[in-house]
Amino acid sequence: MNRTYTARIRRVALSAAAGAVLAATVTACGSADDSGATSGGDSAASAEATAKSSGGASQESSDSGKAAGSSSDGGASGKDSASSSGAESAPGGGKKGYGQACGANDLKFSARSETQAGGYILLSARAKPGITCTIPSGLPSVAFGSKGIEATSAEQAVGPAIKLSGSTTAYAGVNPKTTNDDNGVEFTFLIAGIGTSDPNPASVSTGSVTVDKPIVTNWHTAPADAVPGDGTDN
């Protein structure tokens, strides 16, 4: 899981950079092509004007009929446009919004520091407006930094699935440092995903924390149940 999760984060960043370069290249090529097309179009327009001047009323009537025929395509085009717009406006990037398994991009995350049990981070997740989804049974995927310092399980048992909608909130507790020494790396955010295969992990601000061998609880419906302690429970 370590390499896969870290590679996914780096791959997203590289894809975004490559996309920007490709867009700039396509724009440059498009400008050159448009210039050539405009020149050719001017010559064709001149020739067409000459032909029309020598034509007759019958030619104009024919052209008018063709124009009327073309307008029917516009209705189909408008229909396609409306359909595309409706798909894009659906919640969760085109998902129906109901009955699906939650992904990180379906949720709104927040984190706050707690002092209980030596101090930990309480991670909260709610479904975005218009979405009803279920967090599947299993451990949250939590990591720190681009190198992916991953949190291991703070509980031996796997928690139940949790359905999220509206104000319903799921909680997970993260202890960023379980060692009793001065070692550790300082971070100001964590990366959260719903399981290790989540394609869109989210960056969540935590404030400054020292990280060394972090642990995380399962998702819970009550914050009091999401206290990680100082190590794996018994």
Side-chain angles (χ1 to χ4, degrees):
M1 183 174 81
N2 295 355
R3 294 181 178 177
T4 301
Y5 193 74
T6 302
R8 185 177 298 118
I9 296 170
R10 291 177 177 173
R11 188 159 54 245
V12 169
L14 289 174
S15 296
V21 173
L22 179 59
T25 302
V26 170
T27 299
C29 291
S31 296
D33 291 344
D34 289 344
S35 177
T38 299
S39 178
D42 290 342
S43 297
S46 178
E48 183 180 356
T50 301
K52 283 185 177 180
S53 65
S54 60
S58 60
Q59 180 62 40
E60 292 179 359
S61 175
S62 175
D63 290 342
S64 176
K66 290 181 179 179
S70 297
S71 66
S72 65
D73 294 336
S77 177
K79 183 178 179 181
D80 292 341
S81 177
S83 175
S84 175
S85 177
E88 290 178 358
S89 64
K95 295 180 180 179
K96 293 181 179 180
Y98 297 93
Q100 70 217 22
C102 295
N105 60 334
D106 296 315
L107 307 176
K108 181 178 180 180
F109 293 91
S110 62
R112 71 172 188 260
S113 296
E114 299 286 349
T115 58
Q116 184 181 353
Y120 66 97
I121 299 168
L122 183 64
L123 179 65
S124 304
R126 285 185 180 183
K128 292 179 179 178
I131 290 180
T132 296
C133 63
T134 300
I135 293 181
S137 176
L139 195 70
S141 179
V142 172
F144 292 86
S146 59
K147 293 184 178 180
I149 302 175
E150 298 173 23
T152 57
S153 178
E155 300 180 74
Q156 293 180 349
V158 175
I162 300 174
K163 184 178 181 179
L164 295 181
S165 180
S167 62
T168 303
T169 306
Y171 303 92
V174 182
N175 184 344
K177 180 174 169 61
T178 59
T179 55
N180 296 317
D181 52 36
D182 296 329
N183 295 329
V185 182
E186 188 173 308
F187 294 100
T188 58
F189 68 95
L190 61 78
I191 300 169
I194 307 302
T196 59
S197 60
D198 194 325
N200 300 295
S203 176
V204 185
S205 177
T206 60
S208 180
V209 293
T210 301
V211 178
D212 189 25
K213 297 183 179 180
I215 57 174
V216 62
T217 69
N218 295 314
W219 290 108
H220 296 274
T221 54
D225 295 332
V227 180
D230 59 359
T232 304
D233 64 10
N234 295 315

